[in-house]
Every structure is written in structure tokens, then in C-alpha cells.
Amino acid sequence: MASDPLLHVVLYEPEKAGNVGNVARTCAVLGAELHLIRPFGFHLHDREFRRAVMDYLEGVTLHEHANWTAYQASLPPEARVWAFSTHATTLHTRAGFRRGDHLLFGPESRGLPTWLREGLPTLKLPQPGGGRSLNLAVAAGVAAFEAGRQIEGW
């Protein structure tokens, strides 16, 4: 993995092994690093996780953090963390992403807690059809590819 990753994708308390595996695959393809903040709703050695991640995990720098405080302590002073939430008003396409930004997503069943969102710039993905939120892996992929497009000009 490059010492200067395109992005950092951060999953706060992820619940579903399959989603995390799919996000890991997206990170491998983009050259992004993956951060997982405990507790998880699965074990990293679960069959479902291994099936979803296949051999892509070999191409991903994976960081595990004991909790939100440990993740924050790991950040360099210049780090920019973007929270994603259906409660946000700013679209992800207006963010102005830069190389090395952190894209933060909450757990599948409840999203990011209010106390965490309040201290961060928060973005949303458009969902003009209404209804329920996008799947975590899909949302992370959409956001990460848009960030990559902005940074690299694809």
C-alpha cells in the first residue's frame, strides 16, 4: 500500500461482515486504507467476512481501533474527517475532497450518533426516491469513488 493513500474509509461500529468485506474490496480497488472502530457485530475471522473480502484484504491496509477515542488519537493534526449521514444537508459532491481525507460511516442499523456528527462536517448522498437509506457498502463505494474523482480527476 502506498504511504500516501488516496483516502481512508472509516466504519464506526460496523455490524455486518458482508458489508465490511465489500467495503474492503472497494478500498483495495481505490488504494484507500480501511479503519474499523469497535465494537463490531461480527468477528474478522467469520466465514461471511472472508467470503465477502475474498483475497482483496491482501491489498488493503486495515486499521482496527478500540473505540472512537482511540481512532481520534490516531489522526494526524491535519486530518480531515467527513461524516456521512441522511441527516446532513450538504451533498457529498460539494465537499472538495483532498488526498488523505477520512470518510466516516455509521453502523447499518442506526447510522452515526448525533454526538459524533455534531463535531464534524457532515455530508449526505442524494436519495431522491426517498425510503430507506442505501446499504453501507454501496454508500461507502459511492462516496469513495466521488472523492477519488474529485482528487484524481477521473
Side-chain angles (χ1 to χ4, degrees):
M1 180 63 46
S3 61
D4 187 20
L6 179 67
L7 295 166
H8 298 265
V9 177
V10 184
L11 304 181
Y12 175 80
E13 299 184 358
E15 299 165 337
K16 308 269 187 210
N19 282 331
V20 176
N22 286 321
V23 172
R25 292 172 71 173
T26 297
C27 288
V29 169
L30 287 175
E33 295 188 3
L34 178 59
H35 297 255
L36 302 178
I37 301 172
R38 292 189 179 276
F40 310 150
F42 60 93
H43 296 285
L44 292 178
H45 301 291
D46 282 354
R47 179 184 300 152
E48 182 182 353
F49 177 71
R50 293 293 174 197
R51 183 174 42 246
V53 77
M54 297 185 339
D55 62 347
Y56 288 90
L57 199 54
E58 295 169 10
V60 176
T61 299
L62 176 65
H63 305 274
E64 294 180 57
H65 304 279
N67 52 41
W68 176 250
T69 302
Y71 165 72
Q72 284 185 301
S74 76
L75 294 173
E78 71 279 1
R80 297 192 328 162
V81 179
W82 299 91
F84 283 78
S85 173
T86 58
H87 300 285
T89 57
T90 303
L91 288 174
H92 72 300
T93 53
R94 303 203 191 290
F97 295 110
R98 295 192 305 232
R99 179 172 284 279
D101 278 356
H102 292 240
L103 311 181
L104 172 66
F105 301 87
E108 294 90 329
S109 67
R110 61 190 185 280
L112 291 170
T114 303
W115 64 265
L116 197 155
R117 291 192 320 263
E118 287 176 344
L120 297 170
T122 306
L123 305 171
K124 72 175 183 176
L125 300 176
Q127 296 182 175
R132 298 179 63 183
S133 299
L134 286 171
N135 170 278
L136 172 62
V138 173
V142 168
F145 271 88
E146 172 58 19
R149 185 195 67 77
Q150 288 183 26
I151 296 163
E152 295 293 325
W154 304 323

